[in-house]
Amino acid sequence: MQIVNFTGLLNRRGLDDRTAEMVSVVEKYDPISAVMIDIDHFKKINDAHGHLIGDSVLKKLGELLKESVKGKDVAARYGGEEFILVLPQTGMSGALALTEQIRTAGENMNFKIKESGQSIGRITISSGVASLKKGQSFDKLIEQTDHLLYHAKKTGRNKTVTERDA
């Protein structure tokens, strides 16, 4: 199993390995929910403060996600500033509650530049949440969470969108 060193989370390959195990015995983990998370306006952070500060923000969010999951839950960096949670034995209401907890915690984090103590401003995240439906492939679930995430971004950011909202 591989991790992304500086975030402490699984990378895409590690995610694929862990979810393949779950999906092969999906009945055991039913229900399974997934959450796609993206940092809003991340490019502005990198442009204004540099990539080292951007990496620091990614690491902090990675730590928050790692602290937020439990048991067989999986937190991974999906790519860029996108993260994913796979939540076996968690239905939609539990996944939504967890995602909102993470969104609020992220919004309340105080990001400062270590050397100067200067605040880099408020960080918000947008998320898409979906649950695996009977007969649905795991890839389709991920595609659905990605679609819902982009719906959250298009409709105002700093929010969580579920199938009911889209």
Side-chain angles (χ1 to χ4, degrees):
M1 200 171 306
Q2 299 178 1
I3 61 169
V4 175
N5 291 330
F6 79 94
T7 66
L9 299 179
L10 292 173
N11 62 14
R12 276 293 277 282
R13 185 172 178 189
L15 171 71
D16 289 346
D17 291 348
R18 285 286 302 276
T19 55
E21 296 165 18
M22 276 182 236
V23 172
S24 69
V25 288
V26 74
E27 315 80 45
K28 180 178 175 183
Y29 296 114
D30 188 42
I32 297 177
S33 295
V35 182
M36 187 75 71
I37 298 168
D38 187 78
I39 300 172
D40 295 329
H41 304 293
F42 185 71
K43 183 178 178 345
K44 288 182 182 179
I45 295 167
N46 278 338
D47 290 349
H49 304 288
H51 290 277
L52 289 177
I53 300 300
D55 286 352
S56 175
V57 170
L58 292 172
K59 185 176 181 182
K60 280 276 213 201
L61 182 57
E63 290 168 3
L64 173 62
L65 296 178
K66 202 172 182 180
E67 292 166 4
S68 299
V69 297
K70 59 181 175 22
K72 295 201 180 288
D73 296 348
V74 178
R77 184 170 177 207
Y78 198 69
E81 67 274 10
E82 287 187 341
F83 296 84
I84 189 166
L85 303 177
V86 179
L87 309 168
Q89 299 175 321
T90 304
M92 178 58 74
S93 62
L96 179 57
L98 175 63
T99 306
E100 278 299 291
Q101 220 173 28
I102 291 167
R103 188 188 63 75
T104 302
E107 186 177 32
N108 292 324
M109 285 180 149
N110 188 8
F111 291 94
K112 290 186 177 184
I113 299 172
K114 198 180 254 183
E115 294 78 25
S116 67
Q118 172 193 2
S119 174
I120 66 168
R122 187 172 144 212
I123 304 296
T124 61
I125 58 176
S126 296
S127 304
V129 182
S131 292
L132 190 67
K133 291 169 186 50
K134 199 169 198 87
Q136 183 182 38
S137 71
F138 187 75
D139 288 342
K140 188 67 176 167
L141 174 64
I142 300 307
E143 183 182 309
Q144 188 174 13
T145 60
D146 196 43
H147 171 76
L148 294 167
L149 164 66
Y150 281 95
H151 185 73
K153 289 187 150 309
K154 288 179 195 171
T155 59
R157 300 182 192 264
N158 191 27
K159 64 171 151 180
T160 301
V161 172
T162 68
E163 300 145 312
R164 290 173 271 166
D165 305 319

